[in-house]
Amino acid sequence: MAFDLINHKIVVIKLMKLGAPPILVQWVVDFLTNRKQRVKYKDTYSDWVLINGGVPQGTVIGSRSFLGMINDALDVPNHKVWKYVDDLTIGENRAYGDASTVQDSLDSLCTWADENKLRLNPAK
């Protein structure tokens, strides 16, 4: 999952569901709306392009918005889940010889990511 994949509409809905004050939600909307970027290579600049998704890395509101986005990801009773900035880790305690149920949680996480228009990095 990455900061540049965050869907603005989804993150705003999730922040409201988490009970963020309306004034804060409006501030996030204003922060994310009508953002533009361009690229500089040597002395040449590209045209400005409107950014319609993602949250800026390195900003307080960007990391908080991302955490709001992944807050409901993978809430499973049999596993420990750690969520931090742009990372999520699943841990499992089980007796030797017992079958692992991590794959079920990974399948649920894949479904959640699809529903929230995010992409997982299987290499991680």
Side-chain angles (χ1 to χ4, degrees), residues 22-97:
I23 189 76
L24 177 64
V25 174
Q26 185 58 51
W27 188 61
V28 170
V29 169
D30 291 343
F31 181 73
L32 297 176
T33 303
N34 295 319
R35 289 181 34 248
K36 295 180 180 181
Q37 73 179 23
R38 67 179 179 173
V39 176
K40 177 184 177 188
Y41 178 71
K42 296 185 180 180
D43 292 328
T44 305
Y45 291 89
S46 69
D47 293 334
W48 286 100
V49 177
L50 188 63
I51 305 300
N52 59 6
V55 293
Q57 290 187 29
T59 63
V60 173
I61 196 67
S63 60
R64 298 295 194 278
S65 295
F66 190 86
L67 287 172
M69 182 72 182
I70 68 168
N71 185 64
D72 63 349
L74 206 60
D75 193 15
V76 291
N78 297 333
H79 297 113
K80 181 69 176 163
V81 179
W82 294 271
K83 301 170 191 171
Y84 181 73
V85 189
D86 67 342
D87 201 11
L88 184 144
T89 302
I90 303 169
E92 175 184 53
N93 287 328
R94 60 185 170 89
Y96 181 78

